[in-house]
Amino acid sequence: MRRMLRLVSILPALLAPSIQADTPPKEENCRMAITAGLDTLRNSPPSPNPRDEADRKRLLAEMEKLVDDSRRQGMSECQTWTRMMGKAFNQ
């Protein structure tokens, strides 16, 4: 899934200052990464392949549910991002 590669590729760009400073990522950076990842899935052009398009929609729904559930449970944004990346890598 090329879309997942784009989703995964935004993490280093968003968290680079924290990584370079050898400090834990900040919640705001993780929140921005989550937002950017969801936006990437939402705004990707529809695939001409019906199966790929169905997979994208399914993944988006799963990710949105994961984020909603995590926030409702009071989980940190960085833990949520980690869970999102785990799902993305296992697609």
Side-chain angles (χ1 to χ4, degrees), residues 17 20 25 30 40 44 47 67 71 84 89:
Q20 291 171 353
C30 292
T40 297
S44 294
S47 173
V67 171
R71 289 178 177 163
M84 285 178 71
F89 282 118

Side-chain angles (χ1 to χ4, degrees), residues 13-54:
L14 293 172
L15 298 181
S18 295
I19 293 168
Q20 291 171 353
D22 197 29
T23 59
K26 295 180 181 172
E27 289 295 304
E28 182 58 30
N29 291 345
C30 292
R31 179 180 291 275
M32 290 182 342
I34 290 168
T35 300
L38 291 175
D39 286 346
T40 297
L41 284 171
R42 286 182 187 122
N43 299 318
S44 294
S47 173
N49 181 326
R51 182 176 175 188
D52 286 347
E53 184 60 18

Side-chain angles (χ1 to χ4, degrees), residues 60-72:
L60 174 59
E62 287 178 16
M63 294 293 188
E64 288 174 330
K65 182 178 181 338
L66 184 150
V67 171
D68 289 343
D69 291 348
S70 296
R71 289 178 177 163
R72 193 172 22 267

Side-chain angles (χ1 to χ4, degrees), residues 1-11 33-61 63 81 84-85 87-91:
M1 284 190 110
R2 284 175 269 151
R3 288 177 187 84
M4 289 317 323
L5 292 176
R6 286 191 299 185
L7 178 65
V8 171
S9 69
I10 61 177
L11 176 64
I34 290 168
T35 300
L38 291 175
D39 286 346
T40 297
L41 284 171
R42 286 182 187 122
N43 299 318
S44 294
S47 173
N49 181 326
R51 182 176 175 188
D52 286 347
E53 184 60 18
D55 287 347
R56 182 191 66 81
K57 288 180 180 180
R58 180 190 48 77
L59 181 61
L60 174 59
M63 294 293 188
W81 178 250
M84 285 178 71
M85 290 299 91
K87 266 192 169 311
F89 282 118
N90 290 318
Q91 291 299 311

